[in-house]
Amino acid sequence: MDYELRVRPVKYARLEVRPDGKVVVTAPSGFDVDSFIENHRKWLEEKLAEVEKARKETEKGFPINGRFYHVIHGRKPKIHDRFETVVLPPMPEPMVSLLRERLRRELHELIGEYSRKMGVEPGKIYVRLGRSKWGSCSSRKNLSFNLRLIVVPENLKRYVVVHELAHLRYLNHSKAFWELVGRFYPDYKTARRELKHWWRVVELNEYWRWLEGRT
């Protein structure tokens, strides 16, 4: 099994499967990496199978709201929901702007709905193109959402909104925080697993690599 070894002065070895399927081992000098890999082979095979599943899905087209739209190339960016088709322009910036405005509208409705239910009031709302996480909440109560959220089904957008709004009460991941999340999105554990799948889809999708300048 191919892997990248990173020798670091760590106490315990760490095994990671990146969203693109790359296997990374972080271990101290002299560590028996081959035995470590063999002991975790079943877990590794399961994770690599999940990556392969995402890889096959992402070949279907451009992901929007949990579906894959057929891609055609044109002069101006467009999204045709009725025909599940997107028009990609020569450069990514106009498409990024179109997706940002669409996601902003969707999030505005969800944030309004859940902020009333949860009794919280966020500050500024940002939609940014990023590669680290779905969303974040600052100490100033400003919320930031990743443009990648445009790819996931509405129910997962709801979870991310509830998650970030809950941080307005608890700026941590304490038991109280998860109890608050669970009150307004009971099946949050399933949502977290499904979001990992969609993150892999975005990482592997050729059109998102183009949007994010990864090609």
Side-chain angles (χ1 to χ4, degrees), residues 139-157:
S139 58
R140 295 184 177 182
K141 298 188 176 183
N142 297 328
L143 303 184
S144 181
F145 294 93
N146 197 321
L147 183 62
R148 290 183 174 197
L149 272 177
I150 197 72
V151 311
V152 308
E154 182 187 353
N155 66 304
L156 297 183
K157 290 187 182 72

Side-chain angles (χ1 to χ4, degrees), residues 8 16 33 35 38-39 41 51 55-56 75 92 94 110 112 116-117 133 137 158 166 181 195 199 206 215:
R8 301 286 189 274
E16 177 186 6
V33 177
S35 295
E38 190 61 35
N39 290 337
R41 179 169 292 276
V51 172
R55 192 186 306 279
K56 289 180 179 179
R75 190 167 59 88
L110 293 175
R116 290 189 296 270
K117 291 179 179 179
K133 49 191 173 182
C137 175
R158 288 180 177 273
V181 171
L195 281 172
W199 193 271
E206 62 174 307
T215 56

Side-chain angles (χ1 to χ4, degrees), residues 87-136:
V87 179
L88 296 184
M91 300 299 290
E93 289 78 9
M95 191 65 191
V96 168
S97 297
L98 179 63
L99 292 171
R100 180 181 283 116
E101 288 307 309
R102 177 174 173 135
L103 181 60
R104 192 187 303 276
R105 290 194 301 269
E106 294 178 5
L107 291 176
H108 180 77
E109 292 184 9
L110 293 175
I111 291 169
E113 174 185 346
Y114 283 100
S115 60
R116 290 189 296 270
K117 291 179 179 179
M118 299 172 70
V120 295
E121 187 174 346
K124 295 180 181 179
I125 309 297
Y126 300 98
V127 175
R128 294 179 168 133
L129 189 62
R131 293 192 59 200
S132 59
K133 49 191 173 182
W134 294 109
S136 63

Side-chain angles (χ1 to χ4, degrees), residues 155-156 159 181-182 184-194:
N155 66 304
L156 297 183
Y159 161 68
V181 171
F184 295 94
Y185 199 101
D187 200 18
Y188 66 85
K189 292 182 179 180
T190 298
R192 285 164 62 83
R193 289 195 299 270
E194 292 178 353

Side-chain angles (χ1 to χ4, degrees), residues 6 20 23-24 29 53 82 125 136 167 196 202 209:
R6 296 183 176 182
D20 61 0
V23 178
V24 179
S29 178
K53 177 183 176 182
R82 180 180 177 185
I125 309 297
S136 63
H167 276 313
K196 289 180 180 179
V202 175
R209 291 201 301 267

